[in-house]
């Protein structure tokens, strides 16, 4: 009772008004690590799409089912006896870490130890979070290549680090369709970002939202800087199987001297079109994984057993079929290749200028030549692309994502003329989007 009384006297309850939070403690309630990172583009725009029942080319998830073989594997796991419903090994279900090690060893050119060099996580998100928590010290600098998957910045901040940004820039403007390959890093600009405080660089290939697939020479340039400055590389490769028109995904961990200093992040959600399963992984040297395991064992501890079992079966199948037309890693990009072309021509027909992605499942498009008044009062003060996306969702019923959300505040203004479309969607969804865009271009 005494404890409760004390607690009650320490609480100051103030009535909630529409724009005022309830004050529940006489001292500050929250930790400062949550300051400045309150906004989240997925939370905001996924809700907006739902509110307006819009055709959703916004959030990146397939609106079709995962392939039959992994669905069946999941069902078999669920029916596979009591242990499939209980905890498994904390750092990864043994069948899954073994199949990941077998699958990726030859690709990365290093004999991956399933129990030492891999951590299975709750999606790529948790692999990234554990990586930053495990290696970033208060005051460390982390170089982030822009555009970047938005969670890198808050994760660096929450680990006590300082994000330092370097943008990919379009080499040549003009022409009907620019390719994501035309967006490049300036080697001099990148080199200038490395300081004695730099602990890590984060890259994402194929890139979300741009679709850039880094060429070996580009990765080598980054690798040389990492080695020269003794810096780690966190390489987010969740879209590794999705490349188009002959672009080839290369793992930076496979370059000489990089295995030891790279944390490669992957996602079963993207690999097997099952984003809701939330199975991901980090692969790195045992010395790094050891510290990520400490974060994991004291936060998440463990990921869903049946989902891990199903992903293990998926990788075993893909190992057997690797490189053959039956492989899902061939079939998914082949299917998306067509959707990507179709979306690009549809966007062009309404005056949006798409940047053709070499990989991933997103396409960005330049909105600057669109002649429409999208700047209504409700979005006043927001960046142009946020205003455009809101207008398109509310007025035309088509949901997309503003690209400046993938930039730091210092560079976002330069890139707020782009919006992102997701094309990993059923043909019927793309038909509906095309219909909206056509009607719009005809002034309806
Ligand atoms: N990295 C990138 C580049 C992403 O686009 C996403 C979103 N899928 C993630 C990481 C997070 O992946 P997951 O859903 O497996 O947590
Ligand atoms: N990765 C997905 C995207 O880029 C969505 C991530 C999320 O919804 N948090 O669209």
């Amino acid at each position: 009772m005494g404890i409760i009384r004390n607690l009650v006297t320490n609480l100051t309850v103030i009535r909630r008004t529409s724009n005022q939070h309830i004050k529940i403690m006489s001292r500050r309630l929250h930790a400062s690590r949550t300051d400045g990172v309150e906004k989240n583009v997925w939370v905001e725009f996924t809700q907006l799409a739902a509110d307006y029942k819009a055709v959703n080319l916004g959030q990146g998830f397939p609106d079709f089912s995962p392939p039959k073989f992994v669905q069946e594997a999941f069902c078999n796991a669920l029916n596979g006896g009591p242990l499939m419903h209980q905890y498994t090994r904390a750092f990864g279900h043994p069948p899954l870490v073994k199949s990941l090690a077998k699958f990726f060893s030859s690709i990365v050119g290093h004999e991956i130890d399933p129990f030492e060099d891999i951590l299975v996580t709750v999606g790529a998100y948790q692999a990234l979070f554990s990586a930053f928590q495990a290696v970033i010290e208060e005051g460390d600098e982390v170089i982030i290549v822009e555009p970047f998957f938005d969670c890198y910045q808050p994760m660096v901040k929450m680990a006590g680090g300082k994000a330092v940004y370097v943008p990919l820039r379009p080499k040549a403007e003009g022409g009907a369709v620019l390719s994501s390959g035309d967006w490049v890093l300036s080697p001099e600009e990148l080199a200038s970002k490395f300081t004695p405080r730099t602990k890590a660089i984060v890259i994402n290939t194929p890139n979300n939202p741009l679709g850039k697939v880094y060429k070996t020479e580009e990765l080598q340039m980054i690798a040389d800087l990492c080695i020269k400055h003794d810096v780690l590389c966190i390489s987010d490769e969740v879209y590794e199987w999705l490349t188009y028109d002959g672009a080839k995904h290369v793992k930076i961990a496979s370059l000489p001297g990089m295995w030891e200093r790279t944390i490669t992040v992957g996602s079963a959600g993207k690999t097997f079109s099952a984003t809701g399963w939330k199975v991901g992984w980090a692969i790195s040297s045992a010395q790094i994984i050891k510290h990520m395991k400490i974060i994991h064992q004291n936060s998440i501890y463990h990921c869903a057993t049946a989902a891990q079992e199903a992903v293990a079966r998926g990788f075993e199948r893909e190992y057997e079929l690797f490189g053959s037309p039956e492989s899902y890693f061939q079939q998914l990009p082949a299917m998306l290749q067509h959707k990507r072309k179709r979306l690009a021509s549809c966007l062009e027909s309404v005056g949006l200028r798409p940047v053709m992605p070499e990989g991933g499942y997103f396409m960005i498009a330049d909105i600057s030549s669109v002649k429409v008044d999208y700047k209504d009062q409700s979005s006043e003060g927001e960046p142009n692309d946020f205003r455009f996306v809101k207008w398109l969702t509310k007025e035309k019923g088509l949901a997309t994502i503003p690209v400046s959300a993938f930039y730091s505040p210092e560079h976002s203004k330069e890139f707020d003329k782009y919006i992102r479309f997701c094309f990993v969607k059923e043909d019927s969804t793309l038909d509906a989007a095309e219909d909206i865009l056509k009607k719009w271009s005809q002034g309806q």
Side-chain angles (χ1 to χ4, degrees):
M1 269 321 265
I3 295 175
I4 294 175
R5 205 172 312 115
N6 279 346
L7 209 71
V8 171
T9 49
N10 281 339
L11 296 178
T12 322
V13 180
I14 293 178
R15 283 180 96 206
R16 188 205 291 260
T17 64
S18 58
N19 57 1
Q20 193 176 32
H21 294 294
I22 298 174
K23 189 172 180 210
I24 56 171
M25 290 182 86
S26 50
R27 63 201 169 97
R28 198 171 77 158
L29 170 70
H30 74 284
S32 56
R33 72 176 64 84
T34 66
D35 287 338
V37 290
E38 301 85 350
K39 285 197 102 181
N40 181 290
V41 70
W42 313 113
V43 174
E44 182 177 1
F45 285 92
T46 302
Q47 188 59 51
L48 189 74
D51 288 348
Y52 285 85
K53 298 189 173 45
V55 173
N56 196 352
L57 302 191
Q59 193 184 26
F61 67 92
D63 63 356
F64 47 82
S65 294
K68 277 245 156 17
F69 63 88
V70 283
Q71 287 193 63
E72 280 167 14
F74 208 152
C75 292
N76 292 341
L78 291 174
N79 294 314
L83 290 184
M84 277 294 143
H85 300 273
Q86 308 307 331
Y87 293 130
T88 179
R89 177 176 168 271
F91 308 121
H93 187 47
L96 178 56
V97 287
K98 283 186 202 161
S99 61
L100 288 170
K102 186 161 116 187
F103 196 94
F104 285 112
S105 285
S106 56
I107 295 174
V108 85
H110 177 95
E111 195 56 38
I112 297 169
D113 184 311
F115 298 103
E116 303 284 324
D117 301 342
I118 299 179
L119 177 65
V120 174
T121 54
V122 181
Y125 262 106
Q126 194 225 333
L128 291 161
F129 186 77
S130 308
F132 291 120
Q133 289 291 320
V135 304
I136 301 306
E137 203 86 79
E138 200 65 39
D140 281 347
E141 291 177 4
V142 178
I143 300 173
I144 300 180
V145 180
E146 296 170 301
F148 60 90
F149 185 52
D150 65 306
C151 70
Y152 304 161
Q153 185 269 334
M155 284 190 187
V156 167
K157 179 188 187 288
M158 288 190 281
K162 177 174 179 272
V164 174
Y165 302 98
V166 58
L168 289 159
R169 292 182 198 279
K171 258 196 307 208
E173 281 288 349
V177 177
L178 280 173
S179 155
S180 61
D182 295 332
W183 290 55
V184 290
L185 283 169
S186 146
E188 297 73 33
E189 191 179 8
L190 179 61
S192 75
K193 303 290 174 180
F194 283 75
T195 76
R197 305 195 76 131
T198 309
K199 182 71 182 284
I201 178 168
V202 192
I203 61 168
N204 172 213
T205 181
N207 174 272
N208 175 7
L210 181 59
K212 180 183 174 66
V213 178
Y214 286 69
K215 295 182 181 61
T216 306
E217 313 82 85
E218 295 175 298
L219 294 173
Q220 190 61 60
M221 184 264 290
I222 297 169
D224 290 344
L225 287 166
C226 287
I227 293 167
K228 178 173 169 197
H229 295 276
D230 197 19
V231 160
L232 299 171
C233 179
I234 299 175
S235 185
D236 181 342
E237 302 180 12
V238 300
Y239 302 103
E240 62 190 315
W241 304 111
L242 303 178
T243 58
Y244 313 110
D245 294 342
K248 206 173 161 307
H249 173 70
V250 177
K251 291 188 169 294
I252 194 166
S254 70
L255 301 183
M258 287 306 286
W259 161 258
E260 299 75 17
R261 57 177 70 252
T262 303
I263 302 171
T264 305
V265 172
S267 164
K270 303 292 150 150
T271 300
F272 292 118
S273 303
T275 56
W277 292 10
K278 290 302 289 186
V279 175
W281 53 85
I283 302 181
S284 187
S285 67
Q287 294 102 294
I288 295 175
I289 292 292
K290 180 168 88 181
H291 298 285
M292 292 178 63
K293 283 178 174 173
I294 297 171
I295 303 299
H296 182 84
Q297 76 200 7
N298 292 300
S299 51
I300 306 298
Y301 186 74
H302 167 277
C303 315
T305 305
Q308 292 191 66
E309 172 73 16
V311 174
R313 299 283 163 249
F315 269 104
E316 279 159 22
R317 177 192 185 268
E318 288 302 306
Y319 184 82
E320 297 306 326
L321 296 176
F322 194 62
S324 77
E326 293 82 49
S327 161
Y328 191 63
F329 300 165
Q330 302 277 327
Q331 286 175 347
L332 183 60
M335 174 174 96
L336 293 185
Q337 171 94 334
H338 162 74
K339 295 180 189 286
R340 157 184 168 269
K341 285 227 166 84
R342 184 174 162 200
L343 179 63
S345 48
C346 177
L347 298 183
E348 281 175 328
S349 73
V350 294
L352 290 160
R353 288 172 55 216
V355 176
M356 204 59 158
E358 304 154 280
Y361 46 51
F362 306 109
M363 182 179 297
I364 69 167
D366 186 338
I367 57 173
S368 33
S369 38
V370 174
K371 307 264 174 293
V372 65
D373 183 16
Y374 56 87
K375 297 183 176 169
D376 64 23
Q377 266 186 343
S378 65
S379 62
E380 211 167 321
E382 296 192 51
N384 277 337
D385 54 346
F386 277 67
R387 300 184 82 172
F388 189 91
V389 166
K390 287 184 179 176
W391 171 83
L392 194 57
T393 310
K394 293 179 187 175
E395 300 300 325
K396 300 289 168 196
L398 179 60
T400 58
I401 297 290
V403 166
S404 67
F406 300 83
Y407 282 87
S408 60
E410 51 262 48
H411 295 136
S412 64
K413 188 80 202 85
E414 250 181 275
F415 297 92
D416 75 354
K417 60 176 179 173
Y418 296 101
I419 63 171
R420 190 195 81 170
F421 293 80
C422 174
F423 55 87
V424 68
K425 301 291 175 189
E426 286 281 14
D427 282 340
S428 57
T429 310
L430 295 174
D431 288 344
E434 190 168 358
D435 211 39
I436 292 172
L437 291 170
K438 278 210 176 115
K439 281 193 178 136
W440 168 26
S441 71
Q442 291 156 4
Q444 294 175 41

